[in-house]
Amino acid sequence: MRHDVCDEMWFYAIEGSDVGVWDWNAVTGEVYFSPRWKSMLGYDEADIASHVDEWSSRIHPDDKEMVQLQLERYIAGEADQYRSEHRLRCKDGGWKWILDRGKIVSRTEGGTPLRIVGTHTDISSLRDAEQARYQ
């Protein structure tokens, strides 16, 4: 299959799945956040810059330490993938539960991550249903 056809196929598969995509340059901190990643939280394209701080500054304070630990464990090779369920602040000030998954796709010869790519999925309705079941 031609590379351009594969790229188009993956683009439409991701767009149709209603997930947000991120692509993080782990050296510079620059991140591509897809339009769906931003709109999932109520933001417009221009509202969020292309830097990892745009994500980390929106993590709920109660979740921040756990998220950092999960990311560090993955980068250290203690987990097969980065996976975290945490809350992110929306433009309206509310919070959404996000399933965040990522994979290192390139490393230096010494093993330091260069690029990590992943997805965000809104799992708020699942978390709400789970909480209602146990009340």
Side-chain angles (χ1 to χ4, degrees), residues 7 13 39 67 72 75 77 82 90 98 122:
D7 288 347
S39 69
V67 172
E72 288 171 3
I75 289 173
Y82 165 68
C90 299
I98 300 295
D122 179 356

Side-chain angles (χ1 to χ4, degrees), residues 41-73:
L41 301 171
Y43 293 98
D44 295 322
E45 185 70 24
D47 291 338
I48 295 181
S50 298
H51 196 273
V52 70
D53 292 343
E54 294 284 355
W55 165 72
S56 62
S57 68
R58 288 175 172 78
I59 299 172
H60 192 284
D62 293 345
D63 300 339
K64 205 173 241 321
E65 186 178 331
M66 177 264 312
V67 172
Q68 185 64 35
L69 180 63
Q70 289 170 325
L71 187 57
E72 288 171 3
R73 283 188 66 239

Side-chain angles (χ1 to χ4, degrees), residues 8-21 34 36 121:
E8 184 177 2
M9 177 185 70
W10 283 113
F11 171 80
Y12 288 120
I14 294 292
E15 286 294 308
S17 67
D18 202 28
V19 298
V21 175
S34 71
R36 180 63 190 128
T121 306

